[in-house]
Amino acid sequence: MTVSRLHRPRTALAMDPGLMPRVLGPDQLGRLHEVAEVVPVDGVLHDFSTEEARAVLADTEVLLTFWGCPPVDAAVLAAAPRLRAVVHAAGSVKTLVSDACWQRGVVVSSAAWANALPVAEYTVAAVLMSNKALLRARDDLRRLRVWDDWHHRYADIGNYRRTVGVIGASRIGRRVIELLRPFDLDVIVSDPYLSEEEARTLGVRVVTLDELCAQSDVVSIHAPSLPETFHLIDRSRLALMRDGATLINTARGALLDADALVDELSTGRLNAVIDVTDPEPLPADSPLYDLPNVLLTPHIAGSVGGELHRMADSAIAEIARLGRGLPFAHPVLREELDRTA
């Protein structure tokens, strides 16, 4: 990559040391050293309170952060007088960046857009799989072990003209809508911040949350976890869902009333694809592990494995922009933070 730049900012890596080689592969490290002067060359910061960390922070212009980075609070900023930017090679910065950063004028970037892509892909796969009743078909074939009249047995399945309800026209929610566009599905959305004009541009219909629960064959949650969204899907809204409908949650576990969800799923009336839970992890005796109508995965919808490199590439590109005197392509704005994950 040829980069025209004014200078290579002194950049410290701050994350869980064990994760560093997973997020920054050889290609990413090579590009990072092209656009930044990395300090310390042979390690990462994971505890800002040590003397060694303070010595590095004293001359650091950019913090390249990832999971496991301690909060960048007023004490850290006091030890880092030259700090200009925090570039997060992951999603949410809510537990990382403090108000002291905004007050000091430190600019912040996040690779949340890159982390949104695999979440949306997982969701679309779950939508198409759910409407085809793959779990049910797998279990029936495993149980019967003979050929059956599958067309008769599954007369109620399929993706043609099914209704998918998207809760939250967030970055991920919008990507899900985009990826679903080629399919013959009707997509409805519930989001208090989505205007009718935006909905028309997205090609979706805006409905209330209760209407969405009642009308959808698949309900997929993409809202942020906020005080006002705690248990957004509660017992009454689960009861509104159609018999045989599927609930997908790749957002945050606290958006669902866990007890109500277990009660509803235990009847077999609904299905679920659950990637996030509250608590996380679930206790070993949770019924969600064993219910046949539940696909439970260990918070892998977001970036995992090689997908971590996409987030690192995004962060490195942001540092390159900073070095050329350009604004971030993916800035995090304080006024938007309260409405995001």
Side-chain angles (χ1 to χ4, degrees):
M1 180 177 71
T2 301
V3 179
S4 174
R5 59 189 181 275
L6 295 176
H7 95 124
R8 295 162 59 229
R10 288 179 64 83
T11 301
L13 310 182
M15 61 189 74
D16 181 333
L19 292 175
M20 197 276 280
R22 300 185 198 175
V23 66
L24 291 168
D27 289 347
Q28 285 73 35
L29 279 173
R31 285 195 293 274
L32 177 60
H33 282 282
E34 287 181 11
V35 303
E37 182 183 348
V38 181
V39 291
V41 175
D42 57 349
V44 297
L45 306 181
H46 59 94
D47 180 355
F48 291 143
S49 66
T50 66
E51 286 188 20
E52 294 81 3
R54 296 294 170 133
V56 172
L57 287 172
D59 210 23
T60 294
E61 297 173 84
V62 177
L63 277 176
L64 173 56
T65 63
F66 191 63
W67 301 327
C69 176
V72 183
D73 55 20
V76 174
L77 291 176
R82 298 185 61 196
L83 187 67
R84 299 167 50 201
V86 174
V87 179
H88 194 45
S92 176
V93 300
K94 279 189 173 181
T95 60
L96 173 67
V97 176
S98 68
D99 280 341
C101 290
W102 312 109
Q103 293 163 5
R104 194 38 197 259
V106 172
V107 292
V108 180
S109 172
S110 165
W113 74 270
N115 195 45
L117 301 184
V119 180
E121 292 163 359
Y122 174 108
T123 300
V124 170
V127 167
L128 299 176
M129 177 203 74
S130 297
N131 282 330
K132 275 295 212 183
L134 257 63
L135 290 181
R136 180 173 141 206
R138 177 205 62 188
D139 291 344
D140 284 347
L141 185 59
R142 180 180 291 165
R143 175 175 53 84
L144 295 171
R145 299 179 186 246
V146 296
W147 214 245
D148 195 33
D149 184 352
W150 304 114
H151 284 283
H152 174 73
R153 184 178 289 274
Y154 300 131
D156 60 339
I157 74 170
N159 279 290
Y160 184 65
R161 293 302 179 209
R162 293 285 175 162
T163 299
V164 178
V166 175
I167 300 175
S170 59
R171 181 184 286 109
I172 296 171
R174 290 171 188 247
R175 180 62 174 166
V176 168
I177 292 167
E178 179 185 354
L179 292 177
L180 288 175
R181 201 163 287 139
F183 302 100
D184 291 317
L185 295 163
D186 297 320
V187 180
I188 58 178
V189 176
S190 176
D191 187 319
Y193 299 102
L194 183 67
S195 68
E196 292 288 349
E197 183 178 352
E198 285 181 300
R200 282 193 296 272
T201 300
L202 291 172
V204 299
R205 179 166 53 92
V206 178
V207 297
T208 68
L209 184 52
D210 285 353
E211 289 171 334
L212 183 146
C213 291
Q215 296 175 19
S216 299
D217 297 290
V218 178
V219 173
S220 191
I221 304 174
H222 303 289
S225 183
L226 306 170
E228 57 267 34
T229 61
F230 180 74
H231 287 183
L232 186 69
I233 303 301
D234 56 12
R235 197 172 296 274
S236 64
R237 285 183 171 135
L238 289 169
L240 289 173
M241 292 179 62
R242 297 174 173 177
D243 290 355
T246 299
L247 178 67
I248 301 171
N249 191 14
T250 58
R252 292 289 186 268
L255 293 163
L256 283 171
D257 181 335
D259 292 338
L261 178 67
V262 168
D263 289 346
E264 193 68 68
L265 291 172
S266 295
T267 70
R269 192 181 74 83
L270 300 178
N271 307 297
V273 178
I274 304 294
D275 187 57
V276 290
T277 59
D278 184 25
E280 194 171 71
L282 288 171
D285 60 352
S286 170
L288 292 180
Y289 287 114
D290 300 309
L291 287 172
N293 50 331
V294 176
L295 175 58
L296 183 66
T297 55
H299 205 148
I300 59 163
S303 299
V304 66
E307 293 164 339
L308 299 177
H309 295 161
R310 181 193 283 126
M311 296 195 294
D313 286 340
S314 173
I316 293 163
E318 292 288 66
I319 295 172
R321 292 180 66 87
L322 193 72
R324 299 199 305 268
L326 298 173
F328 284 145
H330 305 286
V332 178
L333 304 179
R334 177 63 185 91
E335 59 268 25
E336 297 177 357
L337 201 59
D338 293 336
R339 292 199 285 119
T340 60

